[in-house]
Amino acid sequence: GAVVSQHPSRVICKSGTSVKIECRSLDFQATTMFWYRQFPKQSLMLMATSNEGSKATYEQGVEKDKFLINHASLTLSTLTVTSAHPEDSSFYICSAVSGTGHEAFFGQGTRLTVV
Amino acid sequence: GDSVTQMEGPVTLSEEAFLTINCTYTATGYPSLFWYVQYPGEGLQLLLKATKADDKGSNKGFEATYRKETTSFHLEKGSVQVSDSAVYFCALSGSSASKIIFGSGTRLSIRP
């Protein structure tokens, strides 16, 4: 199946700094990528939909100035958590939709810890 | 809006027991339905899927049938193993390139 690579897998940062997470589709072009956040023992909550070459669409309650999303190419989307705070600590997962649009492939996830 | 409701966990079974995790959905149109599995410390992996009514998805001994009349997609396995311990998410996807809506997840633990 298609492969989506997410990097880094773990990151620890100091409060107030910014962290960038990359999501790459390795063997297919993804016009649409999605970013999810998962709190411990909870389900995945969609944060935003990232479309190549256009602005991301954010879900209600997600601060777009805090979670910057860039989808500059058909194989790469980035999520930048700006001015991170301990409450931003979470597991972030990206997914990319294949050409048929009915199956999404997920990255391995990034565990962010803000200290 | 679209939504997925799945059985709350945790579910604890003995090895070789029969497993059922219930999942029902609400959606307009004809969504695709999925089961994803998340092993400890890892991301999500697609376990199986079904794209139209009466389709049966199957993989690794797990099965689920798309039941439009009951809007359900229950996950079953005849004989579970310790290695099946994970969190299972039922999910749906609507039209092309749409977002995936997840259920709350069911944590499954299998005792040797």
Side-chain angles (χ1 to χ4, degrees):
Chain A
V3 177
V4 174
S5 175
Q6 188 172 338
H7 179 79
S9 57
R10 290 178 182 273
V11 58
I12 300 173
C13 71
K14 290 186 177 181
S15 200
T17 61
S18 295
V19 173
K20 181 185 284 189
I21 302 169
E22 292 187 347
C23 179
R24 294 180 184 273
S25 56
L26 296 186
D27 50 3
F28 67 99
Q29 293 184 330
T31 55
T32 304
M33 290 186 176
F34 302 92
W35 287 95
Y36 295 84
R37 181 175 182 177
Q38 184 181 29
F39 291 102
K41 298 185 179 181
Q42 293 187 29
S43 189
L44 284 75
M45 301 300 296
L46 180 67
M47 298 174 66
T49 302
S50 168
N51 292 297
E52 186 265 338
S54 63
K55 290 184 179 180
T57 302
Y58 290 81
E59 295 299 302
Q60 192 171 9
V62 177
E63 299 175 61
K64 59 184 178 183
D65 294 332
K66 181 166 188 62
F67 298 100
L68 300 179
I69 291 173
N70 182 277
H71 194 157
S73 78
L74 286 171
T75 58
L76 173 65
S77 175
T78 60
L79 168 67
T80 301
V81 183
T82 63
S83 187
H85 291 285
E87 57 265 32
D88 298 325
S89 298
S90 191
F91 194 59
Y92 294 87
I93 304 177
C94 71
S95 74
V97 179
S98 66
T100 60
H102 285 288
E103 182 170 349
F105 299 93
F106 286 81
Q108 308 93 314
T110 298
R111 184 163 302 284
L112 169 64
T113 304
V114 184
V115 298
Chain B
D2 296 352
S3 66
V4 177
T5 303
Q6 69 181 97
M7 183 172 153
E8 284 194 24
V11 173
T12 302
L13 296 171
S14 296
E15 203 166 21
E16 299 183 1
F18 183 85
L19 168 72
T20 300
I21 300 178
N22 290 337
C23 172
T24 57
Y25 67 91
T26 302
T28 54
Y30 303 95
S32 294
L33 302 175
F34 308 89
W35 277 98
Y36 285 87
V37 58
Q38 185 178 31
Y39 297 102
E42 298 184 16
L44 268 73
Q45 300 176 28
L46 178 65
L47 180 60
L48 53 84
K49 67 176 181 179
T51 58
K52 61 183 188 296
D54 299 325
D55 268 3
K56 178 186 283 188
S58 61
N59 185 26
K60 300 181 180 178
F62 291 89
E63 292 183 340
T65 302
Y66 190 144
R67 301 283 187 203
K68 188 171 183 295
E69 63 276 15
T70 54
T71 61
S72 65
F73 194 55
H74 305 320
L75 181 69
E76 296 182 337
K77 186 173 184 179
S79 176
V80 292
Q81 306 300 314
V82 173
S83 56
D84 294 328
S85 298
V87 180
Y88 293 81
F89 294 93
C90 186
L92 69 80
S93 173
S95 58
S96 179
S98 72
K99 59 191 178 186
I100 292 183
I101 306 297
F102 287 89
S104 55
T106 302
R107 184 173 299 276
L108 174 66
S109 297
I110 306 301
R111 295 187 299 250

